[in-house]
Amino acid sequence: LTFSLATKYSSRVDALTSEMEKAGDFKGSAEVTETAAALIEAMARNTPEVGLESVEASTERQTFGFKKAATLRRRLGWLRSEKLKDNPGALVATAIALELVNSGLSLVKRGTEQYIALRREEMLAEEVQGTALISSRQLVEGMEADRRGLAVADALLALKINDRQRADFQRERSFLNQRIASVAAALALEKP
């Protein structure tokens, strides 16, 4: 899978999974998403061949690949947890998404658009992981995932970002804060 093919492929995957989900085929959408994530991840992990790809082109390909594969894995986690009631599968998918984010972050400079996009994926993957853990009644672990997501939101809000991004990150921060408070209250009620 080349970089130019991957960009076309990923938009087709997005369109296909959107149609499948509108038709209620969440299992099919999850299968397509998982296959696409594996292919794009493999492209991202390819090392540049000397003479065939510049360092800049290789970094762009890998950054796109890690970010897109992380998005797909995070989305797979959401599908598994919210639509297929497969919380263990959701936890596996989000763990892979977080690993992909870390691989991508190793290639980019702090504060760049790619950095912000990867950290956003990290925040959302932590949120989905929190959802799966809370749904599995692992409240303490779910709250920890939400706190990690909250820390990422705070780090993003400290950067120079545009108004749309600021509103997006503040909305996520508010959601995570509310869920942490709700889970903490539920844990307090459980104590003897």
Side-chain angles (χ1 to χ4, degrees):
L1 192 63
T2 64
F3 180 36
S4 70
L5 281 176
T7 54
K8 291 173 189 157
Y9 173 68
S10 76
S11 15
R12 286 187 180 155
V13 165
D14 292 345
L16 175 62
T17 55
S18 176
E19 287 304 311
M20 293 173 94
E21 288 168 26
K22 280 180 195 165
D25 184 6
F26 298 107
K27 188 173 189 289
S29 178
E31 288 168 2
V32 170
T33 301
E34 189 162 21
T35 301
L39 284 170
I40 292 174
E41 180 183 345
M43 180 211 63
R45 292 197 187 281
N46 277 347
T47 51
E49 290 186 45
V50 179
L52 294 179
E53 188 177 42
S54 70
V55 173
E56 294 81 14
S58 166
T59 301
E60 186 181 0
R61 171 182 54 78
Q62 290 185 297
T63 304
F64 167 83
F66 286 125
K67 193 264 178 201
K68 185 62 187 180
T71 300
L72 289 166
R73 291 287 180 183
R74 186 246 317 152
R75 185 119 179 40
L76 178 62
W78 175 82
L79 280 166
R80 290 204 186 289
S81 178
E82 296 288 323
K83 301 298 181 182
L84 303 173
K85 305 304 175 204
D86 172 16
N87 289 315
L91 293 173
V92 169
T94 53
I96 295 169
L98 291 166
E99 189 274 321
L100 290 164
V101 164
N102 284 328
S103 296
L105 286 171
S106 70
L107 300 170
V108 298
K109 287 186 180 143
R110 187 178 188 279
T112 61
E113 280 303 311
Q114 298 97 327
Y115 175 88
I116 292 167
L118 284 160
R119 292 300 310 264
R120 178 181 181 275
E121 278 309 315
E122 180 183 8
M123 174 185 68
L124 295 173
E126 292 286 11
E127 183 181 309
V128 173
Q129 198 166 74
T131 299
L133 287 162
I134 292 165
S135 297
S136 301
R137 303 295 304 152
Q138 296 177 58
L139 300 183
V140 173
E141 295 85 350
M143 202 162 55
E144 287 168 4
D146 281 353
R147 283 190 178 129
R148 289 190 300 270
L150 188 61
V152 176
D154 286 339
L156 286 166
L157 287 165
L159 296 173
K160 191 174 180 179
I161 52 176
N162 64 43
D163 291 344
R164 182 189 52 76
Q165 289 170 322
R166 186 162 304 283
D168 180 31
F169 301 150
Q170 283 174 334
R171 192 171 38 254
E172 290 300 323
R173 187 181 191 289
S174 175
F175 171 80
L176 290 166
N177 254 332
Q178 287 173 358
R179 190 159 73 178
I180 289 165
S182 297
V183 172
L187 283 168
L189 289 173
E190 281 182 7
K191 288 183 180 171

